[in-house]
């Protein structure tokens, strides 16, 4: 019986090509509009978050002082999208008139350089031997200008032992006032110091601790994710340190949510008025058809089922191309439109939530619109 009623519903949809086309067009436009609304919301929110993140002192989600085993477990954790590491090598103290500035000598992987905002803006990264990258602030304090392979002699401390060495300057980075002050060394130099400390009988892993920086797979509460990761890898808090980014996602504000709610309600209302009118006109013109079904013993519930099944079929026909059209428009046209209204850069975002929300709200529009028409169809007497 159920398959027979569905066949009746499909034949009715095919027979009423004009009305079916109008419903498909209305659902298509409604769904595309919802994709546009939620795309604009997510695009602007993500652009503001990225702007706030760039203004922050560092870009990684969290950083840990870890053992080699803990570093391996972090790399394998499903909580972590990507990770990178570096090593503290030594320290330099720069004296000023009334204060002093501590600068860390470090070896960082390229990703950590970028996350810690110390990637060279002039020159290149250290690649071998005694190559070094310093900050623009350091060059200014020393009264020198950058030229590649320029020799600079530094006095520094490693594990309470003072050393002096001459380095080749290969790059300069622009220091952020809130960023950690570092000088970048090559991996070769780090390994040379490690071998030297081992020969002296010192624990090089303690003298030059490993720092692991991570970007989480999720953007939810960074503090919660940090503690969750620490628990997962059995992190030893007494031996290692940790720090999570204090960056907080941008609060869109009550006003923005109110405007968004008004726009969504407006689209719902327009879609409802259009689609429900088509449904009611269709029912009014098909009184004899539903009357014959009632005369054949088809119940009111089954008649409503015929209406719902046909409408759901039309929704699927409209929603799939609407998703494709919405994706194309939001990816290639919407960012350009939004960029003309904002001073910051807006880029497309393939966040699945955009399309899930668009489908939910467009289907809600269909459900609300068809209720009255389905009820009227079920009330028609033989």
């Amino acid at each position: 019986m159920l398959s027979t009623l569905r066949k009746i519903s499909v034949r009715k949809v095919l027979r009423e090509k004009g009305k079916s086309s109008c419903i498909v067009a209305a659902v298509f436009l409604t769904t595309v509009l919802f994709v546009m609304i939620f795309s604009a919301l997510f695009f602007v929110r993500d652009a503001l978050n990225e702007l706030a993140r760039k203004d922050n002192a560092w870009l990684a989600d969290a950083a840990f002082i870890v053992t080699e085993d803990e570093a391996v477990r972090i790399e394998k954790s499903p909580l972590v999208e990507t990770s990178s590491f570096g090593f503290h090598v030594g320290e330099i103290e720069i004296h000023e008139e009334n204060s002093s500035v501590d600068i860390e000598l470090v070896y960082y992987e390229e990703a950590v350089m970028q996350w810690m905002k110390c990637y060279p803006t002039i020159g290149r990264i250290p690649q071998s031997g005694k190559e070094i990258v310093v900050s623009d602030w350091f060059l200014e304090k020393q009264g020198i200008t950058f030229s590649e392979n320029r020799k600079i002699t530094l006095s520094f401390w490693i594990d309470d032992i003072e050393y002096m060495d001459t380095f080749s300057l290969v790059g300069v980075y622009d220091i952020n006032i809130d960023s950690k002050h570092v000088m970048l060394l090559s991996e070769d130099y780090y390994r040379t110091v490690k071998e030297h400390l081992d020969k002296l009988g010192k624990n090089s892993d303690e003298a030059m601790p490993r720092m692991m920086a991570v970007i989480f797979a999720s953007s939810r509460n960074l503090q919660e994710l940090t503690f969750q990761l620490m628990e997962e890898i059995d992190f030893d808090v007494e031996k290692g340190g940790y720090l999570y980014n204090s960056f907080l996602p941008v609060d869109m504000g009550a006003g923005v949510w109110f405007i968004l709610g008004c726009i969504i309600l407006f689209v719902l209302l327009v879609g409802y008025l259009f689609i429900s009118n088509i449904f009611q006109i269709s029912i009014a013109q098909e009184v004899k058809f539903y009357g014959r079904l009632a005369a054949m013993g088809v119940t009111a519930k089954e008649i409503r089922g015929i209406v719902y099944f046909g409408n759901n079929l039309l929704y699927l026909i409209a929603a799939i191309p609407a998703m494709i059209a919405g994706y194309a428009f939001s990816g290639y046209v919407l960012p350009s439109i939004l960029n003309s209204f904002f001073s910051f850069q807006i880029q497309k975002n393939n966040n699945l939530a955009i399309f899930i929300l668009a489908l939910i709200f467009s289907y809600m529009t269909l459900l609300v619109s068809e209720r009255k028409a389905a009820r009227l169809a079920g009330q028609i007497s033989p």
Side-chain angles (χ1 to χ4, degrees):
M1 182 65 177
L2 182 61
S3 61
T4 302
L5 294 176
R6 287 181 175 178
K7 287 179 182 178
I8 292 172
S9 182
V10 172
R11 288 171 184 167
K12 183 176 179 298
V13 166
L14 295 174
R15 186 177 68 252
E16 300 175 349
K17 292 183 175 64
K19 298 186 188 73
S20 297
S21 298
C22 288
I23 293 170
V24 167
V27 172
F28 177 89
L29 292 173
T30 302
T31 305
V32 170
L33 281 174
F34 278 124
V35 172
M36 295 301 99
I37 291 168
F38 291 113
S39 293
L41 173 68
F42 279 87
F43 288 5
V44 173
R45 185 206 63 175
D46 290 348
L48 289 172
N49 283 341
E50 185 61 24
L51 202 63
R53 182 184 286 273
K54 286 180 178 179
D55 287 339
N56 212 20
W58 52 301
L59 303 179
D61 289 337
F64 306 87
I65 301 300
V66 295
T67 64
E68 187 174 355
D69 290 340
E70 289 171 339
V72 171
R73 291 197 291 271
I74 286 175
E75 289 177 342
K76 294 180 178 179
S77 172
L79 294 173
V80 175
E81 180 178 305
T82 184
S83 62
S84 188
F85 65 86
F87 293 91
H88 169 90
V89 178
E91 292 180 348
I92 294 177
E93 189 175 26
I94 305 296
H95 294 281
E96 298 185 287
E97 290 183 7
N98 300 317
S99 62
S100 62
V101 176
D102 292 327
I103 303 176
E104 284 190 50
L105 288 170
V106 299
Y107 160 63
Y108 282 164
E109 288 189 316
E110 283 194 52
V112 179
M113 294 181 198
Q114 294 170 341
W115 295 343
M116 297 301 174
K117 295 189 173 181
C118 56
Y119 197 91
T121 52
I122 301 174
R124 58 179 174 81
I125 65 174
Q127 295 174 342
S128 61
K130 296 182 180 182
E131 294 180 342
I132 194 170
V133 169
V134 302
S135 70
D136 56 349
W137 177 90
F138 177 80
L139 287 186
E140 183 181 345
K141 288 298 177 183
Q142 300 300 309
I144 58 177
T145 56
F146 172 76
S147 60
E148 190 163 349
N149 294 321
R150 180 172 194 155
K151 303 301 180 183
I152 56 173
T153 301
L154 300 174
S155 176
F156 52 93
W157 294 84
I158 300 176
D159 197 31
D160 296 329
I161 302 175
E162 187 173 13
Y163 295 87
M164 183 174 287
D165 211 341
T166 300
F167 298 88
S168 296
L169 183 64
V170 295
V172 180
Y173 70 91
D174 298 330
I175 191 166
N176 185 310
I177 191 170
D178 297 319
S179 298
K180 184 168 71 170
H181 205 149
V182 299
M183 291 183 180
L184 304 173
L185 303 172
S186 69
E187 184 178 6
D188 287 348
Y189 196 83
Y190 156 72
R191 295 196 179 280
T192 299
V193 173
K194 180 178 174 63
E195 290 174 4
H196 172 71
L197 292 175
D198 289 339
K199 287 178 181 179
L200 293 177
K202 293 181 175 291
N203 188 331
S204 59
D205 291 334
E206 289 185 2
M208 298 189 298
R210 178 193 300 262
M211 187 273 289
M212 197 83 171
V214 305
I215 300 292
F216 289 115
S218 170
S219 59
R220 58 188 173 88
N221 190 292
L222 296 183
Q223 179 182 11
E224 180 183 330
L225 286 167
T226 299
F227 292 145
Q228 190 175 342
L229 178 60
M230 289 165 59
E231 183 178 355
E232 180 186 299
I233 67 169
D234 195 22
F235 182 73
D236 191 340
V237 180
E238 294 183 0
K239 291 183 179 180
Y242 69 92
L243 182 68
Y244 57 85
N245 204 325
S246 59
F247 160 78
L248 296 174
V250 173
D251 183 4
M252 299 294 284
V256 173
W257 290 111
F258 176 76
I259 293 171
L260 177 67
C262 290
I263 295 173
I264 290 173
L265 286 174
F266 176 75
V267 175
L268 277 169
L269 179 62
V270 172
Y272 165 76
L273 291 174
F274 190 24
I275 297 172
S276 63
N277 282 334
I278 297 172
F279 283 154
Q280 289 182 50
I281 291 171
S282 175
I283 296 299
Q285 293 178 348
E286 294 290 328
V287 171
K288 291 182 179 179
F289 170 76
Y290 292 112
R292 285 197 300 270
L293 288 177
M296 289 187 296
V298 179
T299 67
K301 182 179 179 180
E302 289 170 337
I303 290 175
R304 290 196 297 271
I306 291 172
V307 175
Y308 290 143
F309 184 80
N311 293 342
N312 287 337
L313 181 62
L314 292 173
Y315 175 80
L316 288 176
I317 293 171
I320 294 172
M323 287 289 105
I324 297 171
Y327 173 80
F329 187 87
S330 65
Y332 300 101
V333 180
L334 186 60
S336 300
I337 296 173
L338 293 174
N339 281 325
S340 65
F341 291 96
F342 297 100
S343 58
F344 48 87
Q345 185 68 24
I346 292 176
Q347 297 178 335
K348 72 173 183 177
N349 182 340
N350 295 327
N351 194 325
L352 188 61
I354 294 171
F355 305 99
I356 292 174
L357 288 170
L359 285 172
I360 290 172
F361 277 89
S362 63
Y363 191 61
M364 280 174 55
T365 306
L366 178 75
L367 291 178
V368 173
S369 302
E370 69 181 356
R371 286 183 63 187
K372 185 176 180 180
R375 188 172 64 252
L376 289 173
Q379 290 174 349
I380 295 173
S381 56

